[in-house]
């Protein structure tokens, strides 16, 4: 008769969720930072590249690298394939639902501010966003969501549940925006209170 009680249980380092979270977070943050550096500072130094080309190339590389790194790391660390949250068949419906949900969330926030007298609605802005605005929006939508929802929300949710994950990801999301130009503690606190929880709930 074999004594199975004394047999040690082998645990892989992949089972450590905190380690997986740290690896995903650091890797994706580095890629995001490099993409911003390329798009905003390094590539414009080349005379044959105009500002739009620099942004497109730098941010495009950042988006592609972030997606590839996320897929590869999740496959290696979590042994998941395909990656459900990035399934191509879900992309059309997901993009449409995400767009409508995002418009609804932002409209609700601006609407409340308008009712409180803290915002003024005006129609003297350009009807279409500039190329730079679109490029920044795309790289933020992909890279930041992979970092803060794909890693800093999803894995804590597995560990502690949705409510705790919303608090953790919201605090880090707002704190990260303190480094933005003209940002202050008030603006970052506002992001912690509204944007972090809203985006977390939208992902959930």
């Amino acid at each position: 008769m074999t004594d199975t009680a004394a047999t040690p249980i082998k645990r892989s380092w992949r089972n450590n969720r905190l380690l997986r979270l740290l690896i995903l977070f650091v890797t994706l943050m580095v890629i995001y930072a490099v993409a911003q550096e390329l798009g905003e500072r390094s590539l414009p130094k080349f005379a044959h590249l105009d500002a739009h080309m620099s942004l497109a190339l730098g941010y495009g590389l950042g988006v592609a690298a972030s997606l590839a790194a996320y897929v590869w790391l999740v496959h290696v660390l979590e042994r998941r394939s395909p990656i459900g949250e990035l399934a191509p068949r879900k992309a059309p419906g997901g993009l449409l639902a995400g767009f409508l949900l995002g418009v609804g969330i932002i409209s609700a926030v601006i609407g409340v501010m308008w009712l409180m007298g803290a915002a003024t609605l005006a129609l003297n802005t350009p009807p279409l966003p500039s190329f730079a605005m679109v490029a920044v929006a795309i790289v933020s939508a992909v890279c930041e969501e992979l970092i803060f929802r794909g890693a800093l929300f999803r894995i804590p949710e597995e560990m502690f549940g949705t409510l705790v994950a919303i608090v953790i990801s919201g605090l880090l999301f707002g704190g990260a925006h303190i480094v933005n130009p003209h940002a202050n503690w008030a603006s970052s606190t506002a992001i912690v209170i509204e944007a972090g929880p809203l985006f977390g709930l939208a992902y959930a």
Side-chain angles (χ1 to χ4, degrees):
M1 179 174 172
T2 305
D3 184 7
T4 57
T7 303
I9 299 175
K10 294 183 179 179
R11 294 183 61 85
S12 171
W13 59 271
R14 294 183 178 87
N15 295 329
N16 189 323
R17 288 193 176 100
L18 287 177
L19 180 59
R20 282 164 30 199
L21 175 61
L22 182 62
I23 293 173
L24 267 173
F25 174 74
V26 171
T27 302
L28 294 173
M29 281 295 292
V30 169
I31 293 174
Y32 188 23
V34 170
Q36 289 183 312
E37 176 69 21
L38 286 174
E40 297 175 9
R41 296 180 180 85
S42 299
L43 292 179
K45 295 178 181 179
F46 295 93
H48 62 285
L49 294 178
D50 60 20
H52 287 178
M53 182 64 72
S54 298
L55 282 171
L57 183 57
Y59 286 160
L61 288 173
V63 167
S66 293
L67 287 169
Y70 184 87
V71 170
W72 182 76
L73 285 173
V74 169
H75 175 67
V76 171
L77 298 175
E78 303 178 21
R79 296 180 176 176
R80 286 199 291 128
S81 184
I83 311 301
E85 58 268 32
L86 294 179
R89 61 184 176 81
K90 297 181 180 179
L95 287 171
L96 178 60
F99 174 78
L100 294 176
L101 187 58
V103 169
I105 289 174
I106 298 302
S107 298
V109 172
I110 297 299
V112 170
M113 294 174 63
W114 177 71
L115 290 173
M116 295 174 62
T120 301
L121 303 180
L123 298 177
N124 59 352
T125 55
L128 293 175
S130 67
F131 182 90
M133 292 173 62
V134 173
V136 171
I138 290 175
V139 74
S140 298
V142 176
C143 296
E144 291 188 12
E145 290 308 298
L146 287 175
I147 294 168
F148 291 100
R149 256 57 67 180
L152 292 177
F153 177 88
R154 182 178 59 83
I155 296 178
E157 185 183 35
E158 295 176 2
M159 302 169 65
F160 309 113
T162 301
L163 181 59
V164 175
I166 287 174
V167 173
I168 292 174
S169 61
L171 286 171
L172 294 173
F173 187 61
H177 283 78
I178 193 65
V179 300
N180 286 357
H182 310 297
N184 53 45
W185 287 109
S187 63
S188 294
T189 301
I191 293 174
V192 169
I193 294 172
E194 45 89 17
L198 286 174
F199 290 164
L201 288 170
Y203 177 86

